[in-house]
Amino acid sequence: MLGVQPAAPTKSGHTGRNVAIIIVLLLFVFFFIPIVPYNYSTSNGFGATSTHVSGYVSPSAYLFGCGLVVNLQGTGYVFGAQVSQGGPVSGFFCNVSAQH
């Protein structure tokens, strides 16, 4: 009887699939995970009026103005007195003011 050698195990080509999964996960985090604290304040007319906005945004919303926004709230002041407050806004928005 001839000695039969078992076939050598073949190397599985999962590298391309793993790279694709990592890229998809990074894009998901970049567009859909609100991990960046966002604070923006303005003051006009020698401090007569001012606004303050705060919340959390995804990295894409912070950098490019298009992404997920969570609990974004704004408050308006006139001569230091609060005159308006917007409720929390959440969702996916584009053309968000990316001023920081």
Side-chain angles (χ1 to χ4, degrees):
M1 184 169 3
L2 295 173
V4 178
Q5 296 285 334
T10 58
K11 195 172 192 180
S12 179
H14 294 294
T15 304
R17 181 191 63 165
N18 293 343
V19 169
I21 289 171
I22 290 171
I23 290 172
V24 167
L25 288 174
L26 288 175
L27 287 174
F28 182 79
V29 168
F30 188 70
F31 282 102
F32 296 107
I33 306 296
I35 57 175
V36 179
Y38 181 81
N39 290 300
Y40 178 70
S41 296
T42 63
S43 180
N44 298 339
F46 302 105
T49 61
S50 63
T51 58
H52 178 75
V53 178
S54 63
Y56 287 91
V57 298
S58 65
S60 65
Y62 186 78
L63 294 173
F64 305 118
C66 190
L68 189 66
V69 174
V70 175
N71 291 332
L72 200 62
Q73 298 180 358
T75 307
Y77 301 92
V78 175
F79 295 110
Q82 180 179 334
V83 294
S84 66
Q85 176 151 5
V89 175
S90 298
F92 191 91
F93 298 97
C94 283
N95 296 326
V96 175
S97 176
Q99 299 171 351
H100 11 66

